[in-house]
């Protein structure tokens, strides 16, 4: 997106400096090309020397730039370009790296709910496996890739220790379908619990979230089991979502630090410590109907980055 940020302006400078500046500007190949492209004559350039000098300085800051992480512009990823269509003006324009970043995140518009971290927006099923990956991770990555090539009604329940790559794998899957125009959602279950708690007096907001989660074609329920259990959240929020998705045969994935057995134990006790085994069984039956459990072991990939 281009944005006009300044109007024509010429600062006063010393006559000697003015002559040197004029010589530098009017002999610069980039200015000569600009004059040719916009049919901009020499007197007009002389009237706008400072603007052309600033433009050349902006261009020079980008010379040899390796990427956005090393950007030297005031606005990361953007540079001031000159335009004379029809009047001379400065336009804020994304650089090649910023354009690439924007294009790489265009699929995010297909996320109805997006609780992913920024880095996960770039997760790609074609770049999941590295040379030093262990066999466990390789096997799970193969399962994820097979799922996107041959979509199935039943999703995956990825469980294992923190940092082993569960969420990244699930994000790669949703990114793939989002890039292909599919509506998806990547939900942090602990975040949902907090949002629902904060919106307790806004039933319309809660109904809207629940409707989305019941009906979105592909849903990842990330970090399930990390939320604090209350009977109300378990029975009035989680259960209706899972039950509806099971009945509607909607593809549902889960990531968790808990195995199915330990997750059952997590939901078996309410906030008062009272045992409610049947409520836990009802939740677990839906999860098991929706997803195939896969254990992801191996190294903590966050520490190795």
């Amino acid at each position: 997106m281009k944005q006009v940020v300044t109007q024509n302006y010429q600062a006063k400078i010393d006559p000697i400096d003015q002559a040197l500046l004029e010589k530098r500007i009017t002999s610069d190949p980039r200015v000569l090309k600009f004059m040719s492209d916009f049919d901009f004559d020499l007197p007009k350039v002389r009237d706008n020397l400072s603007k052309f000098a600033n433009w050349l300085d902006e261009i020079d800051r980008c010379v040899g730039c390796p990427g956005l992480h090393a950007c030297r512009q005031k606005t990361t990823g953007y540079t001031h370009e000159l335009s004379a269509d029809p009047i001379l003006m400065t336009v804020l324009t994304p650089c090649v790296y910023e354009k690439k970043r924007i294009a790489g995140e265009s699929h995010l518009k297909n996320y109805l709910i997006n609780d992913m971290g920024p880095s996960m927006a770039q997760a790609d099923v074609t770049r999941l496996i590295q040379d030093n990956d262990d066999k466990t991770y390789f096997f799970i990555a193969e399962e994820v890739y097979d799922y996107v090539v041959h979509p199935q009604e039943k999703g995956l329940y990825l469980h294992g220790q923190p940092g082993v790559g569960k969420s990244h794998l699930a994000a790669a899957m949703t990114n793939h379908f989002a890039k292909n125009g599919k509506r998806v959602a990547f939900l942090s279950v602990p975040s949902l619990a907090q949002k629902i708690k904060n919106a307790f007096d806004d039933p319309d907001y809660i109904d809207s979230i629940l409707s989305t989660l019941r009906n979105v074609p592909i849903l990842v329920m990330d970090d399930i089991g990390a939320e604090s259990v209350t009977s109300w959240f378990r029975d009035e929020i989680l259960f209706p979502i899972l039950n509806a998705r099971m009945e509607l045969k909607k593809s549902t994935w889960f990531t968790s630090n808990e195995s199915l057995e330990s997750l059952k134990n997590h939901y078996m006790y309410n906030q008062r410590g009272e045992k409610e085994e049947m409520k836990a069984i009802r939740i677990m039956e839906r999860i098991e109907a929706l997803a195939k459990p896969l254990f992801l072991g191996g190294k903590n990939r966050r520490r190795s980055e």
Side-chain angles (χ1 to χ4, degrees):
M1 178 182 293
K2 295 185 177 181
Q3 177 183 355
V4 177
V5 292
T6 63
Q7 296 296 322
N8 193 13
Y9 173 76
Q10 178 66 47
K12 293 182 179 180
I13 58 176
D14 183 89
I16 297 177
D17 293 337
Q18 176 87 5
L20 292 173
L21 179 64
E22 180 178 327
K23 182 178 179 180
R24 178 171 73 88
I25 297 301
T26 57
S27 62
D28 192 292
R30 294 166 292 186
V31 176
L32 296 175
K33 185 177 186 303
F34 180 92
M35 294 168 64
S36 174
D37 289 345
F38 290 98
D39 193 22
F40 204 78
D41 60 29
L42 190 58
K44 291 180 182 178
V45 174
R46 291 193 180 109
D47 289 339
N48 293 277
L49 289 177
S50 293
K51 187 178 286 288
F52 277 94
N54 290 336
W55 173 56
L56 294 177
D57 288 342
E58 290 275 340
I59 296 174
D60 289 340
R61 288 195 194 100
C62 292
V63 173
C65 177
L68 293 176
H69 66 282
C71 181
R72 295 186 292 168
Q73 299 293 352
K74 292 179 180 178
T75 303
T76 299
Y78 288 82
T79 185
H80 291 84
E81 294 283 357
L82 277 186
S83 174
D85 187 20
I87 63 172
L88 187 67
M89 62 182 66
T90 303
V91 178
L92 195 62
T93 306
C95 71
V96 61
Y97 297 114
E98 179 64 5
K99 288 177 181 177
K100 183 177 180 180
R101 185 197 66 79
I102 292 170
E105 295 184 358
S106 62
H107 64 286
L108 297 181
K109 66 181 182 295
N110 287 321
Y111 277 82
L112 301 186
I113 295 174
N114 182 5
D115 290 336
M116 297 188 304
S119 64
M120 286 194 286
Q122 304 300 326
D124 190 320
V125 291
T126 65
R127 300 196 303 269
L128 288 177
I129 301 172
Q130 302 173 8
D131 292 339
N132 61 344
D133 282 328
D134 54 59
K135 291 182 179 180
T136 304
Y137 185 85
F138 182 88
F139 170 74
I140 303 298
E142 287 268 290
E143 288 267 350
V144 174
Y145 186 78
D146 184 65
Y147 180 92
V148 302
V149 174
H150 308 288
Q152 304 163 39
E153 180 183 308
K154 197 166 186 175
L156 298 178
Y157 180 92
L158 303 176
H159 63 101
Q161 293 298 310
V164 294
K166 305 180 298 293
S167 298
H168 185 85
L169 289 168
M173 181 275 298
T174 50
N175 284 339
H176 170 83
F177 287 108
K179 289 174 183 176
N180 286 278
K182 197 85 168 177
R183 295 293 188 180
V184 301
F186 191 101
L187 172 79
S188 163
V189 177
S191 177
L192 174 67
Q194 188 60 49
K195 288 176 183 177
I196 294 294
K197 179 181 178 182
N198 294 340
F200 192 78
D201 295 328
D202 188 352
D204 290 339
Y205 174 78
I206 294 175
D207 287 346
S208 175
I209 291 180
L210 295 186
S211 177
T212 296
L213 294 175
R214 285 193 297 263
N215 294 291
V216 64
I218 299 174
L219 169 66
V220 171
M221 302 189 74
D222 188 48
D223 217 9
I224 190 169
E227 79 284 3
S228 298
V229 178
T230 66
S231 296
W232 183 79
F233 181 74
R234 180 194 61 201
D235 302 336
E236 304 300 325
I237 302 299
L238 276 185
F239 180 79
I241 293 170
L242 297 173
N243 191 62
R245 295 193 67 80
M246 181 184 71
E247 292 181 348
L248 295 171
K249 302 185 185 303
K250 299 288 186 180
S251 181
T252 310
W253 285 44
F254 304 86
T255 76
S256 183
N257 297 332
E258 309 287 347
S259 66
L260 289 178
E261 187 60 34
S262 61
L263 187 67
K264 177 183 176 182
N265 191 64
H266 175 74
Y267 288 125
M268 192 177 297
Y269 296 90
N270 62 24
Q271 65 272 29
R272 295 181 298 276
E274 299 166 343
K275 189 174 183 179
E276 297 178 323
E277 185 172 6
M278 189 52 63
K279 300 291 182 67
I281 290 173
R282 293 172 72 225
I283 286 277
M284 296 310 301
E285 283 180 346
R286 272 68 184 174
I287 292 175
E288 291 176 32
L290 287 166
K292 168 186 172 182
L294 289 175
F295 173 72
L296 180 56
K299 63 185 179 182
N300 187 318
R301 302 172 73 85
R302 294 178 192 146
R303 293 175 185 168
S304 60
E305 290 176 353

